[in-house]
Amino acid sequence: MSLLSFVAGLGLFLYGMSQLEEALGVLSSGSFRRFLRRSTGNPVTSVLGGTLTTMLVQSSSMVGLLMMALVGAGIIPLANAVGVVLGANLGTTFTGWIVATLGFKLNLAALALPAMGGGALWCVLLARREHWLAWGRMLFGLGLLLFGLDAMKSSMEQVATRFDVSVLQGYPAIVYLLVGVAFTALIQSSSATMMITLSALHTGIVDLPSAAALVIGADLGTTSTLALGGIKASAVKKQLALAHVLINVVTATLAFLGLPLLLSLVDASGVEDPLYQLVAFHSGFNLVGIVLLLPWVKPFSRFLERRFLSSDDDVRTYIQNVAPTLVQESLEAVAREVECLLVKVMALTLRNLKLEPESLRLTLAMQQRLQQAFPSGQRFEESYDEIKRLEGEILEFCGAVQTGVVAPDQVKQVHRYLNAARHGVYAAKSGKDIRQNLAFLRHSEKHTLTAFYQAQVGLQKQRLTELGTLLEAHYQPAHLRTELGRLQEQVRQSHRDTEQTLFVQGLHDGADEQETSTLLNVNRELKAALDNFALALGCLRLEDAELVD
């Protein structure tokens, strides 16, 4: 019966933990995501943010999976995500402190039943809104967790009275470490392994060194969650999963090699209760790992960025790294993806006009983005097809996002981004349609035609510099709207002036009827390309009421 009680208790504990995590995810999703973004400005604050967030949601795996979404969407850099993973290892030890303090000092069954009953009633009677239901699920999950912990503790006490503990003695510490790894990987919860280890230590089934080895193994086993999530994932997710595995391997190796020293330090600290000694050891070796690894976070991240490089066939940069169910993160990824599309459109336009990115008065970073927009040696038609494919990927991803629970303002945001991508493709198409015309004018022997071409290239160079500056800099909406409106008016005026000149002088200044028609067509399409690019930028950065016409 003790085995059945233990298995039942473990099942209730794991299910209660999952209910608690899901409820906390609903109640704190927006707030703790905003907290993570604000607190990940550098590796040090990232570690603190990861520690505090994991203490709040009680799941390092949940925090790790969220970091995959945030770093995949380009919201935070990989180095800071690695810092959060480091901090999450320390934050997850908070569970052990709670259980060691309360779990073995109080009558858990007396607390569990009211919590389960109250939570169940809450879910049945007050489940009109998801937010309210989450409170009931949290209370119910807490009750299940306590009840399962009490069942495991009671079954361990029965085992201790009937079992000859000398059978478990004499095994080397590596055996306990491997058991911790395997068991945690199997049940996908290092917290559950910690609870079982504390119960076994409390009843005398295992001694402190063996329990410490089990806990080290639990920290290694918990890497399986992110490792599994990264098997078929994008490059950046694989990089973060590898970071989690390597960090825990290094920390666990150091802890295992220094096991006697660390335990002697804990013993010398004056802590006598073996339960407190175990959780202090758990927090201690994770803290040591943070201190040793933190200075190497940025070099380590640069090493990771060279692993699992994305295939050249994938035109996406951000949206493949985010689950569509994470709506806010998905929208931010779409915005960045549309920005990438506009960079490609501008790079294609420069190529069409035989202009180098260095010829535009842009920052070095923007010039490099334009240079790297397409693979070296790619043909013009292939680059245009890549832009079209990227628009299709954005459209498909936005469709997947909208199948979930999306607020009305988020739906409008999705439509704005889709309009931005559409106008960007229109701009690219205008350039593609006159590609042969531009080549004809560029190589013409008539001074009138080459002079027209050079004049238009000069105007395009000036306008593209302005648009590139607006694309790179995130100006306030009012300023951006003013600048886009001014630029569009200048484009329209240049188009009218050129058109009027052609109507008056075209046929009398060295251009025949067909050539004059070509010049009018080029003038119109260049104007359409700039107009559409400005509209795309407005849709991307401005709210509906602020869009330029």
Side-chain angles (χ1 to χ4, degrees):
M1 288 300 294
S2 59
L3 178 60
L4 291 176
S5 297
F6 175 81
V7 173
L10 177 60
L12 290 173
F13 179 88
L14 291 174
Y15 184 69
M17 180 67 76
S18 70
Q19 292 295 303
L20 194 61
E21 289 177 5
E22 290 176 13
L24 285 170
V26 172
L27 293 172
S28 61
S29 59
S31 59
F32 90 78
R33 287 176 191 175
R34 286 191 296 272
F35 172 76
L36 273 178
R37 293 175 198 173
R38 289 195 301 268
S39 63
T40 53
N42 58 68
V44 175
T45 57
S46 298
V47 169
L48 295 175
T51 301
L52 294 175
T53 305
T54 308
M55 288 171 61
L56 171 66
V57 301
Q58 286 298 291
S59 174
S60 60
S61 297
M62 180 179 179
V63 172
L65 292 172
L66 176 62
M67 293 316 300
M68 279 187 169
L70 293 177
V71 75
I75 297 171
I76 64 172
L78 180 63
N80 294 351
V82 171
V84 171
V85 169
L86 263 176
N89 284 344
L90 180 61
T92 197
T93 66
F94 185 64
T95 306
W97 285 101
I98 294 175
V99 174
T101 303
L102 301 177
F104 296 92
K105 315 297 180 184
L106 302 174
N107 184 352
L108 297 182
L111 298 174
L113 290 175
M116 285 190 294
L121 283 174
W122 188 296
C123 291
V124 172
L125 302 177
L126 300 174
R128 297 179 182 177
R129 299 178 60 182
E130 184 183 18
H131 197 76
W132 291 5
L133 177 62
W135 283 104
R137 290 179 66 188
M138 183 179 71
L139 187 59
F140 182 67
L142 179 62
L144 284 174
L145 189 150
L146 294 174
F147 193 85
L149 180 59
D150 183 71
M152 285 191 291
K153 185 178 70 172
S154 299
S155 66
M156 284 293 181
E157 290 172 350
Q158 294 179 30
V159 169
T161 59
R162 303 176 184 177
F163 189 70
D164 183 7
V165 297
S166 62
V167 175
L168 294 177
Q169 297 174 357
Y171 286 103
I174 188 67
V175 173
Y176 292 97
L177 182 143
L178 294 175
V179 169
V181 172
F183 188 73
T184 304
L186 177 65
I187 64 174
Q188 292 288 293
S189 174
S190 60
S191 295
T193 304
M194 185 66 177
M195 301 312 102
I196 295 169
T197 304
L198 285 169
S199 299
L201 181 62
H202 176 68
T203 54
I205 293 178
V206 296
D207 57 11
L208 182 59
S210 302
L214 280 168
V215 168
I216 295 172
D219 271 27
L220 270 178
T222 196
T223 62
S224 62
T225 303
L226 262 66
L228 290 172
I231 289 176
K232 293 186 178 180
S234 59
V236 71
K237 289 187 177 182
K238 290 179 180 177
Q239 290 162 2
L240 191 57
L242 178 62
H244 191 209
V245 171
L246 293 180
I247 285 170
N248 283 32
V249 166
V250 170
T251 304
T253 301
L254 294 174
F256 188 73
L257 294 176
L259 185 60
L261 174 62
L262 291 172
L263 288 178
S264 64
L265 290 174
V266 170
D267 187 58
S269 67
V271 178
E272 296 181 356
D273 190 326
L275 300 181
Y276 286 123
Q277 288 181 332
L278 181 61
V279 293
F281 167 78
H282 191 202
S283 297
F285 80 73
N286 276 290
L287 183 60
V288 169
I290 289 174
V291 172
L292 293 177
L293 296 176
L294 186 57
W296 301 96
V297 165
K298 289 189 175 180
F300 179 48
S301 299
R302 289 193 290 270
F303 162 79
L304 292 170
E305 288 168 351
R306 296 192 294 271
R307 311 277 83 79
F308 310 113
L309 296 179
S310 300
S311 169
D312 291 338
D313 295 333
D314 194 345
V315 297
R316 302 167 298 174
T317 304
Y318 297 106
I319 55 177
Q320 80 277 22
N321 300 323
V322 186
T325 52
L326 298 172
V327 178
Q328 190 56 45
E329 285 73 20
S330 294
L331 292 178
E332 296 187 40
V334 170
R336 292 173 181 272
E337 201 72 72
V338 172
E339 182 178 314
C340 286
L341 183 144
L342 295 183
V343 170
K344 290 178 182 293
V345 170
M346 182 170 287
L348 191 69
T349 303
L350 292 176
R351 181 174 176 180
N352 208 18
L353 298 170
K354 301 302 179 183
L355 291 172
E356 293 297 328
E358 295 84 354
S359 66
L360 303 186
R361 296 189 306 277
L362 298 172
T363 64
L364 180 61
M366 189 63 177
Q367 290 175 358
Q368 289 176 342
R369 289 185 70 183
L370 291 169
Q371 288 173 339
Q372 299 167 5
F374 300 108
S376 178
Q378 188 176 69
R379 294 188 303 112
F380 183 93
E381 292 77 10
E382 293 173 341
S383 298
Y384 177 75
D385 289 341
E386 183 174 317
I387 292 173
K388 294 280 290 180
R389 290 206 317 274
L390 181 55
E391 183 201 15
E393 294 285 2
I394 292 171
L395 179 61
E396 182 179 351
F397 183 77
C398 286
V401 171
Q402 292 184 90
T403 59
V405 180
V406 187
D409 60 321
Q410 292 174 325
V411 173
K412 291 181 180 179
Q413 204 172 347
V414 169
H415 291 168
R416 285 199 296 110
Y417 294 156
L418 290 176
N419 282 332
R422 187 90 286 256
H423 282 296
V425 173
Y426 286 154
K429 186 177 187 305
S430 292
K432 172 179 173 291
D433 288 346
I434 58 172
R435 185 163 183 257
Q436 296 301 323
N437 297 141
L438 292 173
F440 167 72
L441 296 176
R442 189 164 51 244
H443 298 106
S444 176
E445 295 180 356
K446 290 186 177 181
H447 174 72
T448 300
L449 302 185
T450 56
F452 173 87
Y453 174 79
Q454 293 299 332
Q456 290 300 311
V457 169
L459 285 173
Q460 291 289 309
K461 181 178 175 181
Q462 181 182 347
R463 305 303 179 221
L464 289 171
T465 297
E466 295 177 31
L467 285 169
T469 301
L470 294 176
L471 178 61
E472 183 181 27
H474 290 257
Y475 290 115
Q476 291 296 321
H479 178 73
L480 178 59
R481 186 176 187 278
T482 299
E483 289 299 305
L484 286 175
R486 178 189 58 78
L487 190 147
Q488 285 184 300
E489 182 55 37
Q490 290 176 345
V491 169
R492 293 187 185 111
Q493 186 61 50
S494 296
H495 170 259
R496 286 193 294 265
D497 292 345
T498 302
E499 190 176 61
Q500 182 65 24
T501 301
L502 289 172
F503 283 148
V504 174
Q505 299 178 359
L507 294 176
H508 308 287
D509 197 19
D512 59 26
E513 292 88 345
Q514 184 175 353
E515 290 167 343
T516 300
S517 176
T518 297
L519 298 180
L520 288 169
N521 182 52
V522 168
N523 183 47
R524 182 181 63 251
E525 293 300 331
L526 288 176
K527 181 256 186 187
L530 292 174
D531 268 345
N532 277 300
F533 198 98
L535 283 170
L537 187 50
C539 290
L540 177 62
R541 297 279 168 75
L542 299 174
E543 299 296 333
D544 289 347
E546 300 168 325
L547 291 181
V548 291
D549 294 327

